[in-house]
Amino acid sequence: MKSKTADRIATGVFVAIAIIIISILVGLFSYILVNGFKHISWEFLTTPSSNIRAGGGIRDQLFNSFYILLITMIIAIPLGVGGGIYMAEYAKPGKITDIIRSCIEVLASLPSIVIGMFGLLMFVNITGWGYTIIGGALALTVFNLPVIVRVSEDSIRNVPRDLKEASLALGITHWHTIKTVLLPSAFPSILTGIILAAGRVFGEAAALLFTAGLSTPRLDYANWNPFSDQSPLNIFRPAETLAVHIWSVNTQGLIPDVEAVSNGSAAVLVISVLLFNLLARWIGRIITKKMTAN
């Protein structure tokens, strides 16, 4: 086969694959948005859910989703990026490093239901906290930490070594080189990994079933005392997220408008993920410009 013919065939195959992927995404998003967008209203977003009556909203579940995401990212990002820096810059090749890398890969391959069972044992039973936001956030940290560590490590390793060597040749310390040369150059890729991890937090239900619970207490959004049982900021209260709410409504729901609540919640979840991704990338571009002075 001539090289030009092989090139045309390869181009056609990859274009076809791209079209198939785009078609699947467009079809999936269209189905969710078309069926769910008509059920979204201001009342749907700002009223609490109901287990019996029709017309309930998703106010608490929507807040819980973003709040658990925030708590999870506060814990996971420093640990994940720090682990990536260690693996890329400080870990010496050898058996110990290979064991650590293998543990990270095994952890990344664990099903979320297993992470949920681990969280139930560690963060619910042993600690005695019960179903809490912090328990769910810690379980999701365990779930997402391998992704952030691997992405951070690969991003730092992919920075041209000439930049690092030039910085060290000027007498700049190793840590200052990491902080001012490697991390700014690797930041866009690290941000992509963080966004992927955040998307998993939004859509995760199995791990949260066993750690954050299936219910939300009555909340007073004017109460900002994080130690109050009715405060939405209390991290030691149960919290049903949007993904868990969709699962709960579809499997255990007794309300007459199960389909409307489920479809509306799914559409809100997809729109929230899209808006979060766009916002994170916009903020990431601003931070990258400030860090690299470009």
Side-chain angles (χ1 to χ4, degrees), residues 86-234:
Y86 172 79
M87 295 299 292
E89 291 297 315
Y90 292 99
K92 296 179 180 178
K95 289 184 178 179
I96 296 177
T97 302
D98 291 341
I99 291 173
I100 294 174
R101 190 167 282 112
S102 298
C103 290
I104 293 172
E105 290 173 354
V106 169
L107 196 60
S109 63
L110 287 178
S112 58
I113 191 74
V114 176
I115 300 294
M117 296 300 291
F118 171 76
L120 175 67
L121 175 66
M122 291 294 297
F123 310 128
V124 177
N125 294 333
I126 292 181
T127 61
W129 292 341
Y131 296 117
T132 58
I133 288 177
I134 186 66
L138 289 171
L140 292 177
T141 297
V142 174
F143 186 55
N144 286 293
L145 205 52
V147 175
I148 301 178
V149 170
R150 289 305 303 269
V151 169
S152 300
E153 180 188 355
D154 291 342
S155 303
I156 293 171
R157 286 187 185 278
N158 289 332
V159 175
R161 305 314 291 175
D162 293 345
L163 293 176
K164 177 184 175 182
E165 292 170 0
S167 176
L168 295 175
L170 292 174
I172 299 175
T173 63
H174 191 192
W175 165 240
H176 202 70
T177 298
I178 292 172
K179 187 174 65 174
T180 58
V181 177
L182 298 182
L183 283 181
S185 301
F187 181 75
S189 299
I190 295 175
L191 178 65
T192 301
I194 293 173
I195 292 174
L196 289 173
R200 297 176 76 190
V201 172
F202 262 118
E204 182 53 43
L208 293 174
L209 285 173
F210 299 100
T211 52
L214 280 165
S215 63
T216 300
R218 185 179 297 275
L219 299 178
D220 178 9
Y221 286 87
N223 184 351
W224 285 39
N225 180 1
F227 302 103
S228 171
D229 292 337
Q230 294 184 338
S231 172
L233 301 181
N234 187 349

